[in-house]
Amino acid sequence: MRLAAAVLSVILCSVAGHMRAHKSEMRQAAVDEFLNDIRQISMQIEFTSDPICIIIDKISKNSKLRPMWQSFINCLNSGMTCTLAWHDVSESHDLMSVLQDEEKDGLDNFFSTLGQTDKSTEKKNAEYVYKLLGNISERRKTAVQNEKKMYKSIGILAGIGVAIMII
Amino acid sequence: MEITLIFKIAGIGILVAVAVQILKQTGRDEFGMVACLAGLVVVLMLTVDVIAELLNHLKQLFNLY
């Protein structure tokens, strides 16, 4: 019985460690996806004269963030401004919970200017957010690998520690 | 005193040492300190009965209070 409890505790703590490591990885993946999509939005704004709905629809076709962009388009089609639509999407999508304040603020600033200012300002804001997310992504590339190893190792060690206590 | 207590204390000591090294390498020294303290608290919890027994024996041996 004790042995079973010890094995279960090792498994549970290891799984908890892996889940936390996966969350770090998801954050990095989300930042990279946003980076790619913001770049495409910026290029669409610069080289086309399509409205925001059409631009977002175009980029959502090849994006891993498609469900989120679709919700954004639905909010825009219901008459919301970009700011309100983005606010609505960021509150309701689980993906946004893995991002930190730095990234969220940058994205909030970007979407608050969409459809509100002229093309050159929108392009400048898009470039700013692109560089911000790019810096964050570069900074975190090595840190994410270390964090993943750390959380997995600490999870397994905690499980073994609990198992020792039980046995 | 059972021999398993010694093995438990040794096991916890090794785990804490490994955890502290991992946390130091990833730049989380403060969490390493927390892990040390947590290990110390766990070991004290394991040994509190044994220490109480020791004090009782001493009390009986020297006819103290």
Side-chain angles (χ1 to χ4, degrees), chain A residues 148-159:
Chain A
K148 271 172 58 177
K149 283 181 199 169
M150 183 189 77
Y151 286 123
K152 284 179 184 174
S153 309
I154 296 293
I156 292 169
L157 287 174

Side-chain angles (χ1 to χ4, degrees), chain B residues 6-30:
Chain B
I6 296 174
F7 288 135
K8 279 186 184 179
I9 292 170
I12 289 169
I14 291 169
L15 287 176
V16 166
V18 171
V20 165
Q21 284 304 313
I22 290 171
L23 289 166
K24 264 189 184 171
Q25 280 180 7
T26 52
R28 313 242 173 148
D29 294 339
E30 63 278 5

Side-chain angles (χ1 to χ4, degrees), chain A residues 160-167, chain B residues 8 12 42 45-46:
Chain A
I160 294 172
V162 172
I164 288 174
M165 296 276 292
I166 290 172
I167 292 175
Chain B
K8 279 186 184 179
I12 289 169
V42 167
M45 279 168 60
L46 287 175

Side-chain angles (χ1 to χ4, degrees), chain A residues 37 56 59-60 63 65-73 111:
Chain A
D37 290 350
I56 302 290
I59 64 158
S60 71
S63 172
L65 305 175
R66 190 185 170 117
M68 197 188 72
W69 292 130
Q70 289 297 323
S71 301
F72 186 69
I73 292 169
F111 283 100

Side-chain angles (χ1 to χ4, degrees), chain B residues 7-60:
Chain B
F7 288 135
K8 279 186 184 179
I9 292 170
I12 289 169
I14 291 169
L15 287 176
V16 166
V18 171
V20 165
Q21 284 304 313
I22 290 171
L23 289 166
K24 264 189 184 171
Q25 280 180 7
T26 52
R28 313 242 173 148
D29 294 339
E30 63 278 5
F31 286 115
M33 180 64 76
V34 170
C36 273
L37 288 173
L40 186 64
V41 166
V42 167
V43 167
L44 282 174
M45 279 168 60
L46 287 175
T47 55
V48 69
D49 286 338
V50 176
I51 292 170
E53 197 181 326
L54 170 67
L55 291 174
N56 278 334
H57 282 311
L58 285 174
K59 191 173 76 170
Q60 285 168 11

